[in-house]
Amino acid sequence: MGNSALKAHLETAQKTGVFQLTGKGLTEFPEDLQKLTSNLRTIDLSNNKMEILPPLIGKFSFLKSLALNNNKLTALPEELCKLKKLETLHLNGNHLRQLPAAFGQLSALKTLSLSGNQLRTVPTQLCGLRHLDVISQISVQISHCPRLKVLRLEENCLELSMLPQSILSDSQISLLAVEGNLFEIKKLRELEGYDKYMERFTATKKKFA
């Protein structure tokens, strides 16, 4: 990937507010993007080989969407949590073991994808996120998130015992996706509260039908 190609991408991004550079074998975050901290609304660097997301990500204060699927990230910088306008964060297929301590400060976050990582516990930080619609891990407080309707937990290392029953019985969640974990889906159907979840699921489906 030559400098001229990167320069062309940067020029386009300056006009569109979108920087997309996927599947180019990038090993590090393009530092030149710093020139566009006030322009960029969307960054997509999926399908690369980045191991580190640098602290400078915190400077992109207008960023609404960040996609870093299928890289080699093992951790995220605390600075990521400064992105007050970030609504969508895709981190599927990395090597993340945990989320930054201040993750709950991402107050605009609506969609979070963490499928296919190495998370073994549910980050409690997610509980502070008021607008979150989609997640990939669990804690009891999630059932208290007033706007959370879709919870995606596919392909993680979850035991059935890690799913709080309140997600089924007391939450607003009407779509719970948990395929590819360490339990059979039919066991989920035996849990107390599953019938209440199905009532919400069916009602939502009717709404969209």
Side-chain angles (χ1 to χ4, degrees):
M1 167 99 204
N3 277 346
S4 55
L6 182 58
K7 197 164 173 238
H9 276 282
L10 288 169
E11 282 170 13
T12 307
Q14 194 162 4
K15 296 184 191 113
T16 61
V18 176
F19 184 82
Q20 187 174 30
L21 198 59
T22 57
K24 298 289 185 204
L26 285 183
T27 52
E28 50 191 49
F29 189 86
E31 295 224 334
D32 285 347
L33 282 185
Q34 285 184 84
K35 298 171 188 162
L36 302 177
T37 47
S38 57
N39 299 67
L40 289 182
R41 304 291 185 271
T42 300
I43 294 177
D44 184 355
L45 294 167
S46 297
N47 304 315
N48 282 296
K49 295 176 179 170
M50 292 188 301
E51 293 179 18
I52 292 169
L53 184 62
L56 67 87
I57 192 66
K59 294 180 182 173
F60 292 87
S61 44
F62 297 98
L63 201 62
K64 282 190 164 182
S65 173
L66 177 60
L68 296 163
N69 295 324
N70 304 318
N71 275 280
K72 296 182 174 184
L73 300 172
T74 52
L76 299 168
E78 289 292 336
E79 287 78 3
L80 177 69
C81 309
K82 292 179 181 169
L83 301 178
K84 294 286 181 272
K85 294 197 188 308
L86 193 67
E87 294 179 4
T88 306
L89 180 57
H90 292 301
L91 295 160
N92 298 320
N94 280 283
H95 305 297
L96 298 172
R97 292 174 184 277
Q98 59 194 48
L99 296 178
F103 202 77
Q105 291 173 15
L106 291 169
S107 49
L109 197 64
K110 292 182 180 177
T111 300
L112 172 63
S113 305
L114 292 164
S115 299
N117 276 284
Q118 293 169 9
L119 298 165
R120 293 197 171 271
T121 57
V122 176
T124 49
Q125 298 92 317
L126 298 185
C127 309
L129 299 173
R130 292 269 169 268
H131 303 288
L132 200 57
D133 300 327
V134 187
I135 313 187
S136 294
Q137 290 279 346
I138 340 174
S139 97
V140 176
Q141 289 95 321
I142 279 183
S143 48
H144 305 159
C145 294
R147 300 188 184 201
L148 187 63
K149 303 283 196 291
V150 180
L151 184 58
R152 293 195 175 279
L153 302 161
E154 299 109 323
E155 319 248 339
N156 276 287
C157 305
L158 300 171
E159 303 276 1
L160 191 56
S161 58
M162 293 181 191
L163 272 179
Q165 188 195 313
S166 57
I167 282 183
L168 294 172
S169 54
D170 304 326
S171 74
Q172 299 298 311
I173 293 165
S174 54
L175 176 61
L176 180 64
V178 288
E179 290 76 16
N181 280 286
L182 305 178
F183 58 87
E184 291 176 49
I185 295 299
K186 65 172 191 242
K187 291 271 187 278
L188 177 70
R189 298 183 189 131
E190 292 162 13
L191 288 183
E192 202 176 325
Y194 188 79
D195 49 345
K196 283 191 175 170
Y197 159 70
M198 281 313 292
E199 282 170 23
R200 294 193 303 274
F201 177 78
T202 310
T204 307
K205 267 182 92 161
K206 282 192 186 128
K207 208 163 41 177
F208 290 115

